[in-house]
Amino acid sequence: MRRRFLSCAMAAAALAAAPSISLAQAAWPARPVRFVVAFAPAGPADIIGRLVAQRLTGALGQSVIVENRAGAGGSVASAVVARAEPDGYTLLVNTSSYAVNPSMQRNLGFDATKDLTLAALVASSPNLIVIAPSVKAGTLKDVMADAQGGAYNYATAGAGTTPHLTAEYLFKVLGKVPVTHVPFQGAGPALNAVMGSQTQMASVALPAAVELVKSGRVRGLVVTGSKRSSALPAVPTVAESGFPGFEDVTWVGIFAPSHTPRAVLERINAEVARLQQDPDFLAKLSAAGFDPLGGSVEQSKAYLQKELEKWAQVVKETGAQPN
C-alpha cells in the first residue's frame, strides 16, 4: 500500500511539475543572450551576427550581446559554446568553416557532429578573390600566368574557412599554380594585409570586401557564385574567367550546444525565419552581398551533414593543411 501511495504521489508530482517546465522553456529568454562570433569584426559571421542580434533584441525583449572569439578558423568559438550550458543563453555564430574544420584539424576541442546543433541557417554569399591595387595583373588568367613562378600569396580569414578551400582548389587543383596561403583571424585582418601589400591577394566571403572594392582600396578579381553579384556587378565569375562550372559559397548559421531544449531551438529558428521575410532585413542582406538561407531545424541539420561530407572531399582533393 505504501509503495502504491508513493508511486501515485510521484506521478502527481511529475504532472504538477510538467506545466512549470513547459512554462520555463516558453519563457526563454528571461535574461540577455550571448552571440559568440567565430571570427574577428568585419567578416561575414560578424556582419550577420550583429545584424541578427540587433533585430532579435527587439523581437525577444532581451539584449543579444555580440562577443568576437576569433581563432583556429572558427574552432575557438565553437569549443567555447560547445562547453556552455545548453540553455539557449550562449549561442554560436559561425560560417561554413564549421563544416571544413573536422577534416582539417585533428584536435578541435569539441565534436562537430555531437556537441553543437545548427538551429538556423541565416544567409550565404559567394566568395570573392581580391588583389592589391599595386598588382598589375588584371584578370584571373593574368594572375594564373604570373603565379607560375611561385611569387604569389593570398590571405584568408583562417585555415579551414571555405574561402581558403576555394582558393586552394582554384589555384592548385584547377590552375595548377603554386600560391602560398597566409591565414589571419578574420576577413578584416586578411583584407588589411592586401591593402598594405603584405599579400598580393585575399580570398574572403564577398560581404567583407564590398565597400573596399567599391572604394578602390582593393580590386575584385573574381566571385565564386554561379552568377555575378548584384553588390559588385562589374566583377566576373570564376566560370566566366575560364573555369566553367565553378561555384562556391560561404554560409552563416546560428548554433546551440547539444541538449538545448527543442522549444528554444524552434524559437531561434522561427525568429530567424521571420527576419528573412522582413523587406528591410532582406535589403540589408542584399546590399552587403548576402542571400537569405532558411529551413527548419531538421532541414538545417541535414544541410550541415551534406556540407561536412562535401568539404571532407575538397580537403582530400586539395591536400589543404591547417597551416
Side-chain angles (χ1 to χ4, degrees), residues 160-178:
T161 58
T162 47
H164 169 212
L165 272 295
T166 292
E168 289 290 295
Y169 189 79
L170 176 59
F171 288 108
K172 295 182 179 178
V173 176
L174 298 182
K176 294 181 171 50
V177 296

Side-chain angles (χ1 to χ4, degrees), residues 1 27 43 46 68-69 103-104 117 122 126 171 234 236 241 252 294:
M1 179 65 72
D46 184 70
N68 297 84
R69 293 289 295 267
S103 300
M104 287 278 294
T117 296
V122 183
F171 288 108
S241 302
V252 183

Side-chain angles (χ1 to χ4, degrees), residues 91-243:
L91 303 173
L92 170 70
V93 181
N94 204 345
T95 70
S96 37
S97 65
Y98 185 92
V100 176
N101 283 329
S103 300
M104 287 278 294
Q105 301 177 22
R106 293 182 180 178
N107 299 306
L108 286 176
F110 67 99
D111 188 322
T113 62
K114 296 179 180 179
D115 294 343
L116 289 156
T117 296
L118 180 56
L121 287 161
V122 183
S124 69
S125 78
N127 294 320
L128 171 70
I129 296 177
V130 300
I131 53 179
S134 58
V135 174
K136 293 181 180 179
T139 67
L140 179 60
K141 286 186 177 180
D142 294 338
V143 169
M144 291 286 194
D146 290 351
Q148 292 289 347
Y152 270 70
N153 54 28
Y154 71 95
T156 70
T161 58
T162 47
H164 169 212
L165 272 295
T166 292
E168 289 290 295
Y169 189 79
L170 176 59
F171 288 108
K172 295 182 179 178
V173 176
L174 298 182
K176 294 181 171 50
V177 296
V179 292
T180 301
H181 177 221
V182 183
F184 289 83
Q185 291 192 354
L191 290 164
N192 285 338
V194 178
M195 288 187 286
S197 295
Q198 295 170 263
T199 64
Q200 287 91 12
M201 300 185 293
S203 181
V204 297
L206 182 142
V210 167
E211 294 305 320
L212 297 180
V213 173
K214 288 181 176 179
S215 66
R217 284 178 282 180
V218 296
R219 285 193 289 134
L221 184 65
V222 286
V223 294
T224 65
S226 60
K227 59 183 180 180
R228 296 194 184 200
S229 169
S230 59
L232 295 174
V235 181
T237 66
V238 172
E240 289 177 301
S241 302
F243 298 92

